[in-house]
Structure formats: structure tokens, C-alpha cells
Amino acid sequence: MSAEPLIPVHGGYRKLKSFQIAQLAYDVTVRFCDLFVDCRSRTRDQMVQAARSGVQNIAEGSQAAGTSRKTELKLTNVARASLEELRLDYEDFLRQRGLTLFPPNHPALMRFKAKRCTTLHDVQTWVAEEHGPTRTSTDNHGPHTVPKPEELAANAALSLLNVACYLLDRQLAAQADAFEKEGGFTERLYRVRNEARGRQEGRRS
């Protein structure tokens, strides 16, 4: 048997943390746009499409890895670019409405990160908790103004996108390294053929 299979293990994108977080960001974005972005606005469609592109290209890149590392790398990069576009849209939403882009140590954002949301319902619950009557005007960090729901939702989405983009940057670096060291499908085919010829010659001698 060849030590190197012609078609390597590929797919399995549903287990990727980048895919899981990008998919949650997509779900959050669809709901966010339904609630807070004018249905007649081009921005609405662009945000939803950018979120979807992030998810779909992670999946397609993972699946394409079986026969083309180059395609995997290209599609992962498209996913990364799409999520960066979406991140800018959320930042624009906050800035243009005079809302706050939470710093990393913002109390509400710290609570969001600690919650480790995995579903849209988790994110909605956090928004309700932060905006609801149970949240007083002071906490351990001192007095603060209770943020608006759209402000909370946008910052939650940005937090998810920051993580997804970080993970995709790591994936891209790993994929580029693998491509540099192992080459693509053509190089793999050449190596497997040479192995097969070597075994045949060994049996003849």
C-alpha cells in the first residue's frame, strides 16, 4: 500500500471552529438585518451575502482540499475577505448612528465572551439580559448607560467575526505552509505514481 493516498482526508468543515463561528455570525446577521436594517437598503443584502459567503467558502474550500490545495487556499481567502467586509459593515452601522463600538474590556462584551454562545438563541438571550430590567445602571466597573439592542447585537456580531477572522488567518497560514511543502494534486499524483512504479519494479527483481 502507498504511504501517501492519492486523495487525502478532506472535508470535515463542520468540525472547524472557524466554520461554526462564521455560521453563527451568519445567523446573527440575518436576524440583525431583519430587525435593524431597512429592507430597501443595499447594505442589508450585502451584509447577508457577505455572511453567507464566509460560511459557504469555508465549506467549499475544505471539500476542495481533496484534489486542490490551491483551490482550498483561494476559497479560504475569499471567506476571510467576506467576513472582513461584514466586519466593516457592522462598524459602519455603529459609527453612522452614533453608537458605541465596545472595546475588548467593555463589561457587557466581557460577559458576552464568557457566555460562549453557540446558537442565535444564546446571543438573543444575552442581548435581552444586557438590555432588560435585571441589568442595573451600575456594576463592578462603575456606572454605565444601558446599550440599545442594536448596539449590543452589532457588538456581539463583531466579537464573533473577530474570532472567526483570527481563526481563518491561522488556517490560511497552515494551508499556505502545507501547499509550499507538499505541493498540489499534480505533485501528489507524481509521487504516488512513482511509488507504484517502484513497487512494481521491486516485485520483478
Side-chain angles (χ1 to χ4, degrees):
M1 294 292 291
S2 171
E4 180 178 21
L6 180 58
I7 307 296
V9 176
H10 60 284
Y13 56 86
R14 294 183 188 277
K15 296 180 181 179
L16 291 173
K17 195 67 176 175
S18 61
F19 176 84
Q20 295 167 2
I21 296 176
Q23 190 173 57
L24 177 54
Y26 177 32
D27 292 343
V28 169
T29 298
V30 170
R31 184 60 177 163
F32 181 89
C33 289
D34 283 346
L35 293 174
F36 305 119
V37 182
D38 191 331
C39 63
R40 296 164 295 183
S41 169
R42 281 191 61 196
T43 300
R44 178 191 178 105
D45 291 337
Q46 290 170 338
M47 289 180 70
V48 172
Q49 286 304 315
R52 182 181 184 277
S53 175
V55 175
Q56 294 297 110
N57 280 290
I58 293 171
E60 291 179 30
S62 176
Q63 197 62 36
T67 55
S68 178
R69 287 195 179 276
K70 182 178 180 180
T71 300
E72 177 191 28
L73 189 59
K74 177 182 177 180
L75 291 173
T76 304
N77 191 56
V78 171
R80 174 64 176 82
S82 294
L83 296 186
E84 183 66 27
E85 177 187 341
L86 181 59
R87 186 156 64 173
L88 289 173
D89 282 331
Y90 275 111
E91 291 176 357
D92 289 345
F93 178 93
L94 291 170
R95 186 183 66 257
Q96 291 166 1
R97 290 160 180 78
L99 301 174
T100 302
L101 173 62
F102 295 168
N105 62 346
H106 189 282
L109 195 57
M110 296 291 285
R111 288 189 288 267
F112 175 74
K113 293 173 182 177
K115 196 174 181 67
R116 297 184 180 275
C117 298
T118 58
T119 67
L120 174 60
H121 178 72
D122 290 341
V123 177
Q124 291 173 314
T125 299
W126 171 79
V127 171
E129 290 171 350
E130 292 297 327
H131 186 68
T134 57
R135 181 63 60 201
T136 62
S137 60
T138 61
D139 59 18
N140 294 334
H141 300 269
H144 69 280
T145 302
V146 177
K148 296 179 179 179
E150 59 267 38
E151 190 174 20
L152 290 161
N155 277 284
L158 281 167
S159 180
L160 293 171
L161 290 168
N162 288 341
V163 175
C165 287
Y166 167 76
L167 293 173
L168 285 173
D169 284 340
R170 291 182 60 184
Q171 274 181 236
L172 283 166
Q175 290 168 6
D177 184 61
F179 185 73
E180 181 180 345
K181 291 178 179 178
E182 302 170 18
F185 184 72
T186 301
E187 291 87 350
R188 181 181 292 273
L189 181 60
Y190 177 78
R191 290 195 299 268
V192 172
R193 280 177 172 171
N194 278 348
E195 284 181 13
R197 290 193 187 104
R199 289 195 303 272
Q200 289 174 356
E201 290 173 359
R203 286 195 293 267
R204 292 194 190 105
S205 60

